[in-house]
Each structure stands twice: as C-alpha cells, then as structure tokens.
Amino acid sequence: MIQKLGWDSLQVRRLYFQSVMFFKIQYQLVNISLPPCYQCITSSIRHNHPLCYRQPSATIDVYNYSFFPRTIRVWNNLPESAVCAPSICAFKPIALSSISAMSPPASLKTL
C-alpha cells in the first residue's frame, strides 16, 4: 500500500526528520546544543564533507540507538551539498533524496 501511494517507508521518514533536526541543531536554528563529546573531524581525506562528526564508541544499545549517535551515522553519509546548504528549505529535498537512496546499515534496519 505504501508503494502504491508513493510514500517513503517509516524508516526513511524517521531518518529524514532526524537529519532535519540535526541540521537545525548544527546551524543553531533550535535551542539545542551538541554534547561536547561530538566533535567535527578536521581531516577531510576519508570523509564526504567538512562537517563530519566523530562518534564516541559505546557497547550499550540504549546509547547507540539514541538520537545523536544514530543521526550522526546518517549525517556523515549525506553529500556536502546537503549539509552545507544555505537554508533548511534547500537542505530538505537533497537530504530526502540522499536518505531514500541510502542502504541503511544493518544496525539501523531494525529501527
């Protein structure tokens, strides 16, 4: 039915809205700040864009599936044109098409 209506899957919609919220946090459009343990990676040799974040490792699923770790995994895979977009209106269509095309990591398939 979802395919017939042309809707994105619930998983894609969740990742999309989490990425939109992270964009708002990144550019201080909401009054939420990033925890200090998340730092931008300055070396761009192995990364898609200059706003990739390093993620602290953890073995606890409660932490790994919380907002910041889960969203940063997606954020780091978005193209530079999305994360460096000049506005939220420019970010949304690029992010949606990128997230729809992503094959989610196995750890995110259950979400």
Side-chain angles (χ1 to χ4, degrees):
M1 182 171 154
I2 292 173
Q3 293 169 346
K4 192 176 185 180
L5 293 171
W7 292 352
D8 292 316
S9 68
L10 179 59
Q11 177 183 10
V12 167
R13 286 181 282 155
R14 282 181 181 158
L15 294 176
Y16 167 71
F17 286 115
Q18 289 168 357
S19 298
V20 168
M21 178 55 83
F22 195 83
F23 182 90
K24 291 177 181 180
I25 293 168
Q26 168 68 30
Y27 290 101
Q28 299 173 351
L29 301 175
V30 292
N31 195 16
I32 300 172
S33 59
L34 275 169
C37 60
Y38 299 105
Q39 302 171 353
C40 261
I41 300 170
T42 55
S43 170
S44 62
I45 296 171
R46 297 180 57 207
H47 306 289
N48 297 337
H49 53 78
L51 294 175
C52 285
Y53 282 88
R54 178 172 290 122
Q55 214 172 170
S57 61
T59 56
I60 300 170
D61 281 346
V62 171
Y63 172 76
N64 284 328
Y65 293 118
S66 65
F67 175 78
F68 285 110
R70 184 173 52 190
T71 307
I72 286 175
R73 284 192 292 271
V74 174
W75 178 264
N76 287 345
N77 289 314
L78 290 174
E80 184 175 356
S81 59
V83 299
C84 295
S87 68
I88 192 76
C89 295
F91 172 79
K92 286 180 176 183
I94 301 169
L96 183 58
S97 63
S98 299
I99 291 169
S100 297
M102 272 184 210
S103 58
S107 62
L108 293 179
K109 288 184 179 180
T110 58
L111 297 177

